[in-house]
Amino acid sequence: MKKNSLDNREEYYDQRAKKGLGHEIAKARWPYFFISPFYILFLIFGAFPLVFSFILSFTTWKGTGPLIFNNFGNYKLILTDKVFWQSMLNGAILFFMYVPFQTLLASVLAVMLNSKRVKGFRFFRTIIFMPYISNMVAAGFVFQLLFGSRNGLFNSILGIFSISPIPWLDSMWGARVALCALIIWAWLGYNMVIILAGLQTISSELTEAAMIDGANSVQAFFLITIPLLRPVILFCVITSTIGSFNLFGELMSLFHATGGTGPLNAVITPLLAVFGQAFHNFKLGYASSQAYVYFLLIFVVALLQLRFFNKEVD
Amino acid sequence: MKTITFKILVGLIILTFVLSACAAPAAEVTTTAPTEPPVVETAEPVVEPTTAPVEPPTIEPTAAPVEAPKPTGKITLWGWSYDAMQSTSLVDDFQKEYPDVELEFVKYSSSDTYQNLQLAVSAGTGAPDVVQIENSRLAQFVDLDGLLDITEWVQPYVPLMNAYKWVDAVKDGKYYAMPWDSGPVVLYYRRDVFKAAELSDNPDDVSAMVATWDKYLETCTTIKEKTGKNCFAFSRANNDARLYEITLWQQGLGYYDKDGKITVDSPENVATLEKLGKFWDPMVVSEEQPWTDPWYAELNSPDNSVASIVEASWMGIFLKTWIAGGTAGMWGVAEMPAFAEGQVRASNDGGSTLAISSQSQNPEAAWAFIEYMLGRENSQLRMFAYTDFLPSLESTYDDALFYEPDTFFGSENTRQIYLKVAKEIPTAYIYGPNYQLMNGYVATAIQEFATGQSSAADALKAAADRIRAETGMP
């Protein structure tokens, strides 16, 4: 009987807790207090910009003065904005140019370095990871020297074989190839380390069992390792997707003379387009509406990717 | 239920990612290099410390009617050209006159200056007292309400400065900045290349050779045929529209007219672009982008250089010091080409001003500094001798310095050419509150035209339509 009443009381508290978030928070006020730095920072740097830029996206605000609303004027302007759509297209093009290749290469390298047969794997792991922590400005200058159209190293090497110089940084596709080379150089190590961490959780017995059953190492890689790595690869692909639309430092260093846009806006990304409208043109209202359209599109892409990768798991 | 929560969560994370990434300022952007200080001229030019004819209006209009106390306190200064004042000991002399004013110089590149100023103005705190702003960006910051109305202080200087320098400093009859230097455009040319092409390297002869853009093209073709060298740097796919703007300015054309009507796609503008396009077919120019290492290299190279560069007088100090310090005596200065026979051979590119931020706690001291540096002939002339920043202050123009030969330019009397040009610069509507936006779209239009993707008329029409849509200008 006594036990029963206790149950009732607990139920009563449960129900009371369900009545409102306030009660819930009050109940766990100390834990919430201890993690409050996150909420405070999120409110200032996450939630506030989120809400404020949504409001701004309906205004012509330039950074100071009153908010003057122009209804959906900004969103109408986006429909005919060639630069903005070019930037979305560039994000997609860059994604297809480097993400599959980079992810595959990172996986292969991770598997190789995970095997105990490779001598000095720590050394290679460090070397491959090193570019990720190096300075992007310096890297941009080095890649300018490599891809320079007139005196660049690559064109000089092509010259030895009497191949006419390729206008790397002076043509749309040349610029994109040079950019992808820089991205893969800088980000391969990061992705490899993530996948390597994923590999460590996979028991080697699985591949060994497959080998005993007659699979070769390539089959084991594609049929055992890759499927088991799916969540890790999904993480890499989604962050790389967002990364290719969000490129900024890479562009600013490799194409600094044009403010990061590259020849004929060949490499301008949505982030750079938004940045330009906000911080060069001082059109903060228009930039906010671009940011929201961009967010909606990339959100849809991320959901599609989740569905695509998870359909078998579901 | 669970997946929906998850999706919302993913959405929020991405949104925060996107927005917070947008808000991050370009901390690692490095753009135009700062003015570096190496000693330029060994022969100290005779600068007479003439007493300024203008009564320095340091007196605060409301406070004290008879004798105002000298300003005191600390002021902060942002910009990239203060070396011109420090290397000529003008700062020391200022401190002698105003011992109680403490100066803190913060050397930012131009892009960092603008970035930080924009954020400080928007935030309502953190702006400096004095800030250097180029004319190309000035109207934008005036429009942002970031600068102090200094009409009462600058009023006496209005008739003394180059008239066109005030265009961007004024809004609704109020003045927001004090002109520093003007940017008279000339033709810098390599004497050695002209000689190698069996052409005269005498400045007057070169001026005649490049009397118009058509004649300049002929000269360039000759140089290309005789020496294989490119005439000047004029990128196609990465064109920044600066030379096009110089060519518009000399004709008194621009991106809009005096009534604020967009003229980006006017027949005159299209014809101007088509004329410049002739330098690409056949190629007589190099494609290096301005302000990059290969561009510096081809200006500095002893034997593999370009033949010339059309640029404003402030290029002088850059050539002499960090761009082409090793080429002393190899350069000459001639007049720039006219658009057509008999037309104006003068244009403007860039030029700076000093302004006081509206957040300044000590505008009196800030104005004392600006007045001392830019309003006095002695100061302006000392900076000019060191930097080739042609003073916007016209009362300096009869000084003996303007007759001094310049050894870097083959002992040519370059300052007379700067002066001649400065007096003829027409008023043109290129800079303004929307210059950044217009320059961006026009640069893309030039790139499309240059790479054969579009005709000049179509490319400029598309740019003009976009500019009209985004600015709301007719």
Side-chain angles (χ1 to χ4, degrees), chain B residues 58-71:
Chain B
T58 39
I59 299 151
E60 203 195 342
T62 49
V66 190
E67 202 174 302
K70 282 193 172 176

Short mmCIF file of all heavy atoms in Angstrom, two decimals, chain B residues 58-71:
data_model
loop_
_atom_site.label_atom_id
_atom_site.label_comp_id
_atom_site.label_asym_id
_atom_site.label_seq_id
_atom_site.Cartn_x
_atom_site.Cartn_y
_atom_site.Cartn_z
N THR B 58 41.63 76.12 -35.61
CA THR B 58 41.58 75.12 -34.55
C THR B 58 40.60 75.51 -33.46
O THR B 58 40.31 74.74 -32.58
CB THR B 58 42.95 74.93 -33.91
OG1 THR B 58 43.56 76.22 -33.83
CG2 THR B 58 43.82 74.00 -34.71
N ILE B 59 40.15 76.74 -33.54
CA ILE B 59 39.31 77.23 -32.45
C ILE B 59 37.93 76.60 -32.52
O ILE B 59 37.27 76.60 -33.56
CB ILE B 59 39.18 78.77 -32.54
CG1 ILE B 59 40.57 79.39 -32.40
CG2 ILE B 59 38.24 79.30 -31.47
CD1 ILE B 59 40.73 80.70 -33.11
N GLU B 60 37.57 76.05 -31.43
CA GLU B 60 36.25 75.44 -31.36
C GLU B 60 35.21 76.55 -31.42
O GLU B 60 35.28 77.52 -30.66
CB GLU B 60 36.11 74.68 -30.05
CG GLU B 60 35.05 73.60 -30.15
CD GLU B 60 34.65 73.10 -28.78
OE1 GLU B 60 35.41 73.32 -27.82
OE2 GLU B 60 33.57 72.51 -28.68
N PRO B 61 34.26 76.45 -32.36
CA PRO B 61 33.38 77.58 -32.62
C PRO B 61 32.54 78.04 -31.43
O PRO B 61 32.32 79.23 -31.27
CB PRO B 61 32.49 77.07 -33.76
CG PRO B 61 32.66 75.59 -33.77
CD PRO B 61 34.02 75.32 -33.24
N THR B 62 32.09 77.10 -30.59
CA THR B 62 31.18 77.50 -29.54
C THR B 62 31.89 77.80 -28.22
O THR B 62 31.49 78.70 -27.49
CB THR B 62 30.12 76.40 -29.30
OG1 THR B 62 30.81 75.16 -29.18
CG2 THR B 62 29.13 76.34 -30.43
N ALA B 63 32.94 77.05 -27.93
CA ALA B 63 33.51 77.09 -26.58
C ALA B 63 34.10 78.46 -26.20
O ALA B 63 33.54 79.18 -25.38
CB ALA B 63 34.58 76.02 -26.43
N ALA B 64 35.24 78.79 -26.82
CA ALA B 64 35.90 80.02 -26.40
C ALA B 64 35.99 80.97 -27.57
O ALA B 64 36.45 80.61 -28.63
CB ALA B 64 37.30 79.69 -25.89
N PRO B 65 35.54 82.18 -27.42
CA PRO B 65 35.53 83.12 -28.53
C PRO B 65 36.92 83.70 -28.83
O PRO B 65 37.23 83.97 -29.97
CB PRO B 65 34.55 84.19 -28.07
CG PRO B 65 34.54 84.11 -26.57
CD PRO B 65 34.95 82.73 -26.20
N VAL B 66 37.73 83.89 -27.84
CA VAL B 66 39.01 84.56 -28.06
C VAL B 66 40.16 83.56 -28.21
O VAL B 66 40.72 83.38 -29.27
CB VAL B 66 39.32 85.57 -26.92
CG1 VAL B 66 40.51 86.43 -27.31
CG2 VAL B 66 38.09 86.42 -26.62
N GLU B 67 40.50 82.91 -27.15
CA GLU B 67 41.67 82.02 -27.18
C GLU B 67 41.29 80.66 -26.61
O GLU B 67 41.11 80.53 -25.40
CB GLU B 67 42.82 82.63 -26.39
CG GLU B 67 44.16 82.05 -26.82
CD GLU B 67 45.32 82.76 -26.14
OE1 GLU B 67 45.44 83.99 -26.30
OE2 GLU B 67 46.08 82.08 -25.44
N ALA B 68 41.17 79.70 -27.51
CA ALA B 68 40.81 78.37 -27.05
C ALA B 68 42.03 77.66 -26.49
O ALA B 68 43.12 77.81 -27.02
CB ALA B 68 40.24 77.57 -28.21
N PRO B 69 41.86 76.91 -25.43
CA PRO B 69 42.99 76.13 -24.92
C PRO B 69 43.33 75.03 -25.91
O PRO B 69 42.47 74.55 -26.64
CB PRO B 69 42.46 75.57 -23.60
CG PRO B 69 40.98 75.53 -23.77
CD PRO B 69 40.62 76.66 -24.68
N LYS B 70 44.61 74.67 -25.95
CA LYS B 70 45.02 73.61 -26.88
C LYS B 70 44.43 72.28 -26.43
O LYS B 70 44.34 72.01 -25.24
CB LYS B 70 46.54 73.53 -26.89
CG LYS B 70 47.16 74.63 -27.71
CD LYS B 70 48.61 74.35 -27.98
CE LYS B 70 49.14 75.38 -28.97
NZ LYS B 70 50.57 75.23 -29.21
N PRO B 71 44.00 71.48 -27.40
CA PRO B 71 43.39 70.21 -27.03
C PRO B 71 44.39 69.30 -26.31
O PRO B 71 45.59 69.37 -26.55
CB PRO B 71 42.95 69.61 -28.36
CG PRO B 71 43.74 70.31 -29.38
CD PRO B 71 44.04 71.67 -28.84
#
